[in-house]
Amino acid sequence: MRTTLEGTGRTVLLSSEAPFVVIGERVNPSGKRGLAESLRRGDMSLVRQEALAQTKAGAHVIDVNVTAEGVDEETILPLAVQAVAEAVDAPICVDTADVRALAEALVVCPGKPLVNSVTGEASSLHAVLPLVKQRGCAVIGLCMDEDGIPGDASKRLEIAQKIVQAAQELGISKDNVVIDPLATTIGADSKAGLGTLLAIRSISEKLAVNTTMGGSNISFGLPERSLINRSFLPMVIAAGLTSAIVDPLDEEIRRAIAACDLLLGHDEFAEEFLQRFRGGW
Amino acid sequence: MRTTLEGTGRTVLLSSEAPFVVIGERVNPSGKRGLAESLRRGDMSLVRQEALAQTKAGAHVIDVNVTAEGVDEETILPLAVQAVAEAVDAPICVDTADVRALAEALVVCPGKPLVNSVTGEASSLHAVLPLVKQRGCAVIGLCMDEDGIPGDASKRLEIAQKIVQAAQELGISKDNVVIDPLATTIGADSKAGLGTLLAIRSISEKLAVNTTMGGSNISFGLPERSLINRSFLPMVIAAGLTSAIVDPLDEEIRRAIAACDLLLGHDEFAEEFLQRFRGGW
């Protein structure tokens, strides 16, 4: 499993043999009133700021999402993608449920982006995968279908297989599909962490594709979310997870990921770990 | 895999289906000058204090080690074991390389203790296992033999198999052998974490025995030891580790273990996690 993504000046590799890939989540107006307002005005200054701050903090890929009330995604998403591409040299993760906005954004996005996302629903597969094939990029496949997010790992593996197969039928290689098993919160179901862990393990081992997930869904609704998130990351990274969509400005997350790379033998002579330690993280 | 240990008033279960078992490491004079001096005088007050403090902090089992210069283990180890058994109701882990001291301590130790430890060396197997059989207790088997600690996981699995087989030949059930793969530091070898992780996974899956390890060896010689230790614990617990010998007075370790139990579905309704959170850990 080797997925490469390209920005204007940087190639990022997702692989179980390489350091963990951090996809910065902050260019997203959800819960950020200031960013939502500036997007409605078509002002990209905050988008540029967030992209820069995240790459400085060590993000390898920048997720770009502009979904908010009053924002015309078809117009604004391409502008935001261009703004990020001008601000930083990292690959972009184009994040939208609007297929037309996705198509427009992929036209202006440089390099080889990651599309976020396709699901196992027939309508999603038919709408999104042809755009991915045409653009020659990679795509995140979410383990959900017409029946929602399944609780057990084997059903999530089935959906992942279905997405990979649909991609391959269109000529998209397995290396260009990154599966997100969709972590749900243990606040609602105490077996949810185990389900996600087993899904990542089986998808990594049996399907041999790269994987990603949101780094904080697992703790939703509970206290000590940072503790829970930074304890779950080592579990899932050791089980095969090769990237995550997280907030790279959260120092605890950065520290946990640096420790994971070190512990899994992806940081020879602890070079990166010691450099971050000496720089005060 | 179900290993039960018994104290004067408490039975502790090691199992992949049960919460993680904390073996408190603090009754050990290594690096503790005050404790070493009081042991030389035969004064057990510090031993009692450390045992009490650890069970209050959530330790399930108390490791008892009196190895220090000038301490006569044959006399002092039984006294220390008795002192701990009087102070707390938890099972005891009798920790010595001195077989005579072990034999004396097992005579006075109540309940069903855990012997720490036997190795894969013929001399160790012949000396320690008969005592374990006679006493009807459990034993920690260290993955090392005449050639030292092997680097690769498959050789450690072989040594574990050899120890389990030697135990079974004497009539000690597999459930009464707890394997310690022996974590070595990533400070000396950047693949050491991965080696230990794979050893735990294969010993848990293929040999189906309980496992334990020291919680801090992995980070020896590196800065940010607490960060490294609390990132390694979720990895190895998710890979099958069912107990560890740690300092339960280290709040970060307590928090990490509580998060692991929660994430692996061993804490229904987050009851224990929320109770600890509300109590300020």
Side-chain angles (χ1 to χ4, degrees):
Chain A
M1 51 172 104
R2 291 175 66 86
T3 308
T4 54
L5 303 174
E6 288 161 27
T8 54
R10 208 196 298 192
T11 298
V12 168
L13 171 67
L14 279 74
S15 159
S16 56
E17 306 297 312
F20 192 72
V21 169
V22 172
I23 305 173
E25 70 180 14
R26 295 180 59 88
V27 180
N28 189 324
S30 168
K32 290 198 186 81
R33 189 180 288 197
L35 181 56
E37 275 172 16
S38 67
L39 288 172
R40 277 191 283 273
R41 291 196 310 270
D43 173 359
M44 295 297 144
S45 54
L46 280 179
V47 167
R48 275 187 209 94
Q49 269 177 40
E50 290 285 11
L52 257 174
Q54 290 181 100
T55 51
K56 275 188 186 161
H60 304 101
V61 178
I62 302 296
D63 187 89
V64 180
N65 179 308
V66 299
T67 310
E69 208 179 310
V71 174
D72 173 26
E73 289 205 45
E74 251 179 272
T75 314
I76 299 301
L77 187 61
L79 289 178
V81 162
Q82 278 181 305
V84 170
E86 284 161 20
V88 300
D89 65 358
I92 290 172
C93 180
V94 185
D95 184 358
T96 179
D98 180 328
V99 179
R100 285 192 194 182
L102 175 63
E104 297 294 331
L106 287 179
V107 169
V108 299
C109 188
K112 182 186 169 191
L114 180 61
V115 168
N116 188 2
S117 56
V118 70
T119 72
E121 293 163 288
S123 58
S124 175
L125 294 167
H126 292 150
V128 175
L129 291 182
L131 295 176
V132 173
K133 169 60 183 169
Q134 192 187 345
R135 183 62 181 74
C137 62
V139 63
I140 294 176
L142 306 182
C143 290
M144 60 181 288
D145 61 12
E146 287 80 358
D147 300 322
I149 304 174
D152 70 332
S154 65
K155 178 74 179 134
R156 290 197 233 183
L157 175 63
E158 269 177 40
I159 297 177
Q161 281 168 325
K162 180 179 163 188
I163 295 171
V164 166
Q165 196 183 331
Q168 287 179 321
E169 280 167 8
L170 277 183
I172 301 166
S173 85
K174 205 168 74 165
D175 277 347
N176 283 326
V177 181
V178 177
I179 295 293
D180 181 342
L182 289 176
T184 53
T185 176
I186 41 172
D189 171 10
S190 60
K191 300 290 179 196
L194 198 60
T196 299
L197 179 71
L198 296 177
I200 289 168
R201 195 174 288 161
S202 68
I203 290 164
S204 305
E205 285 175 6
K206 293 181 186 156
L207 202 50
V209 292
N210 278 300
T211 43
T212 198
M213 64 171 220
S216 58
N217 302 355
I218 191 77
S219 61
F220 188 78
L222 286 166
E224 297 273 7
R225 294 193 64 180
S226 173
L227 166 63
I228 297 170
N229 298 343
R230 70 175 188 255
S231 301
F232 196 49
L233 272 175
M235 291 185 175
V236 287
I237 294 177
L241 190 77
T242 49
S243 69
I245 303 175
V246 297
D247 181 356
L249 300 195
D250 180 337
E251 184 180 308
E252 288 300 332
I253 292 291
R254 289 204 302 277
R255 285 160 54 92
I257 290 173
C260 288
D261 279 337
L262 177 66
L263 286 161
L264 293 174
H266 296 150
D267 182 9
E268 208 170 356
F269 309 119
E271 199 174 346
E272 178 74 20
F273 187 85
L274 292 173
Q275 192 180 319
R276 282 172 177 259
F277 165 68
R278 289 182 191 125
W281 301 98
Chain B
M1 50 170 106
R2 292 175 66 87
T3 307
T4 53
L5 303 174
E6 287 161 28
T8 53
R10 209 195 298 191
T11 298
V12 169
L13 171 67
L14 279 75
S15 159
S16 56
E17 307 297 313
F20 192 71
V21 169
V22 171
I23 304 173
E25 70 180 15
R26 294 180 59 89
V27 179
N28 189 324
S30 168
K32 290 198 185 84
R33 188 180 289 195
L35 181 57
E37 275 171 18
S38 69
L39 288 171
R40 276 191 285 273
R41 292 195 309 270
D43 173 359
M44 296 297 144
S45 53
L46 280 180
V47 167
R48 275 186 211 96
Q49 269 177 40
E50 291 285 10
L52 257 175
Q54 290 181 101
T55 51
K56 275 189 186 160
H60 304 101
V61 178
I62 302 295
D63 187 87
V64 180
N65 179 307
V66 300
T67 310
E69 209 178 310
V71 174
D72 173 27
E73 288 205 44
E74 253 180 89
T75 316
I76 299 301
L77 187 60
L79 289 177
V81 161
Q82 279 180 304
V84 170
E86 284 160 20
V88 300
D89 65 358
I92 290 172
C93 179
V94 184
D95 184 358
T96 180
D98 180 329
V99 178
R100 286 193 196 180
L102 174 62
E104 296 295 331
L106 287 179
V107 169
V108 299
C109 188
K112 182 186 170 192
L114 179 61
V115 168
N116 187 2
S117 54
V118 70
T119 72
E121 294 164 287
S123 58
S124 175
L125 293 167
H126 292 149
V128 176
L129 291 182
L131 295 175
V132 173
K133 168 61 185 169
Q134 191 186 347
R135 183 62 181 75
C137 62
V139 63
I140 295 175
L142 307 182
C143 290
M144 60 181 290
D145 61 12
E146 288 78 1
D147 301 322
I149 304 174
D152 70 332
S154 65
K155 179 76 179 129
R156 290 198 232 182
L157 174 63
E158 268 176 42
I159 297 176
Q161 280 167 326
K162 180 178 162 189
I163 295 171
V164 167
Q165 196 184 328
Q168 286 178 321
E169 280 166 9
L170 277 183
I172 301 165
S173 84
K174 205 168 72 165
D175 278 346
N176 283 325
V177 181
V178 177
I179 295 293
D180 181 342
L182 288 177
T184 53
T185 175
I186 41 171
D189 170 9
S190 59
K191 300 291 179 197
L194 197 59
T196 299
L197 178 71
L198 295 177
I200 289 167
R201 194 174 290 162
S202 69
I203 290 164
S204 305
E205 285 175 6
K206 292 179 188 158
L207 202 50
V209 292
N210 279 300
T211 44
T212 198
M213 63 172 219
S216 57
N217 302 355
I218 191 76
S219 61
F220 187 78
L222 286 167
E224 297 273 8
R225 292 192 66 180
S226 172
L227 165 63
I228 297 171
N229 298 343
R230 69 175 188 254
S231 301
F232 196 49
L233 272 175
M235 290 185 176
V236 286
I237 294 176
L241 190 78
T242 48
S243 69
I245 304 174
V246 297
D247 181 355
L249 299 195
D250 180 338
E251 183 180 307
E252 288 301 330
I253 293 290
R254 289 204 302 277
R255 285 160 53 92
I257 290 173
C260 288
D261 279 337
L262 177 66
L263 286 161
L264 293 174
H266 297 150
D267 183 9
E268 209 170 357
F269 309 118
E271 198 174 347
E272 179 73 18
F273 187 85
L274 291 173
Q275 191 179 321
R276 283 172 176 258
F277 165 69
R278 288 181 193 125
W281 301 98

